[in-house]
Amino acid sequence: MPEPLAYLNGEYVPFPECRLHVSDMGIIQAATVTDMVRTFGGKPFELEAHLERFGRSLEAVGFELAESSADLGTIIGRLAENNYPLIPAGHDLGIVLFATAGVHNVYLGEPQPPGEGAGARTICVHTMPLSFERWAGQYETGARLAVPTVRHIAPEIIDPHIKYRSRLHWYQADRQAKTIDPQATALLLDDQGFVTETNGANFLIARDDVLLLPGERTTLWGVSRAFLTRIAADLGIGWWFS
């Protein structure tokens, strides 16, 4: 049976062979930026917006890649075309991009620190099947949320507009949320007690033809959130940011 493909550091490889070195800075320090594009009917959704956000994250942390944004779009298209027929009919793909600071040479016994430049970074693009059964119940009964004591990382520590993989606080928050409600996902407050987001989704309230959204001070601007605000504008629905 054909294997799904992944892209790792300039090569297309079978997904089971797509591995990081244990000395990669993405593992050692979670020095990683990421993004994820989902498909509808096998076609990437809002691809340009996702690539723009990924590019902003790369720039913010100083990662220079050999691949351009256009190159990444081509890679995503090829993986979607190859991997979509391999999943169950009626399902779709999540397409993950991530880049790390590369292998930490000191961990390899070399005296110099990690290198710089496009060739020194790790870049990976891979897909995963989106199992709709996992979320089907939420469409029928809604998603359950719980507010843990864990707070969102303050913007003075990490810029919230960077989509990054340093997510231990989210792991702790979701574990705590499960002690409140086993079906719940954590909804984090910021350092001032304002609502921010969940581990995998933006949070908003629709009330009286107005969309209420958390402010950008501590919240990543989600592509779906931007899409919704455009739809709201087309429909004449207002929105308000806290």
Side-chain angles (χ1 to χ4, degrees):
M1 182 173 180
E3 295 276 9
L5 289 178
Y7 178 88
L8 179 65
N9 294 334
E11 297 183 0
Y12 290 94
V13 297
F15 180 72
E17 299 177 17
C18 187
R19 302 184 180 96
L20 293 188
H21 196 284
V22 294
S23 297
D24 194 279
M25 290 285 283
I27 297 172
I28 295 170
Q29 292 188 346
T32 311
V33 296
T34 186
D35 219 294
M36 190 183 87
V37 185
R38 66 151 298 169
T39 65
F40 285 95
K43 305 299 182 183
F45 174 71
E46 293 284 299
L47 177 58
E48 183 176 345
H50 282 283
L51 290 174
E52 287 178 358
R53 186 172 65 180
F54 187 59
R56 290 194 297 271
S57 296
L58 291 170
E59 183 177 3
V61 299
F63 288 2
E64 179 186 351
L65 301 181
E67 294 83 355
S68 67
S69 180
D71 292 335
L72 293 174
T74 299
I75 293 165
I76 287 171
R78 176 174 174 180
L79 294 183
E81 182 178 0
N82 183 84
N83 297 351
Y84 179 68
L86 304 180
I87 62 175
H91 286 57
D92 268 292
L93 293 171
I95 306 173
V96 179
L97 307 87
F98 70 86
T100 83
V103 173
H104 197 311
N105 293 338
V106 173
Y107 276 68
L108 299 177
E110 300 175 6
Q112 66 267 34
E116 297 292 335
R121 309 305 182 191
T122 296
I123 173 66
C124 180
V125 187
H126 67 88
T127 71
M128 59 183 183
L130 296 178
S131 175
F132 290 147
E133 291 82 359
R134 179 172 181 174
W135 294 283
Q138 296 183 8
Y139 284 90
E140 298 174 357
T141 61
R144 301 173 72 89
L145 301 174
V147 177
T149 59
V150 177
R151 293 296 177 99
H152 205 298
I153 291 179
E156 293 80 10
I157 299 174
I158 300 180
D159 182 351
H161 302 123
I162 302 170
K163 191 170 177 64
Y164 54 88
R165 281 273 177 89
S166 308
R167 306 184 76 78
L168 182 59
H169 67 297
W170 280 114
Y171 177 77
Q172 293 176 301
D174 279 327
R175 280 176 57 88
Q176 189 182 121
K178 293 293 188 288
T179 67
I180 301 170
D181 179 346
Q183 303 300 317
T185 296
L187 175 64
L188 265 57
L189 307 181
D190 66 16
D191 55 335
Q192 298 181 12
F194 292 104
V195 169
T196 63
E197 57 191 339
T198 74
N199 188 18
N202 287 133
F203 179 83
L204 58 87
I205 297 172
R207 179 188 296 166
D208 299 329
D209 293 329
V210 174
L211 294 179
L212 307 176
L213 298 90
E216 293 187 79
R217 175 180 175 272
T218 55
T219 306
L220 178 71
W221 183 271
V223 170
S224 59
R225 169 171 156 160
F227 178 76
L228 282 174
T229 55
R230 293 203 308 271
I231 295 297
D234 291 341
L235 296 176
I237 299 174
W239 60 88
W240 177 82
F241 303 96
S242 64

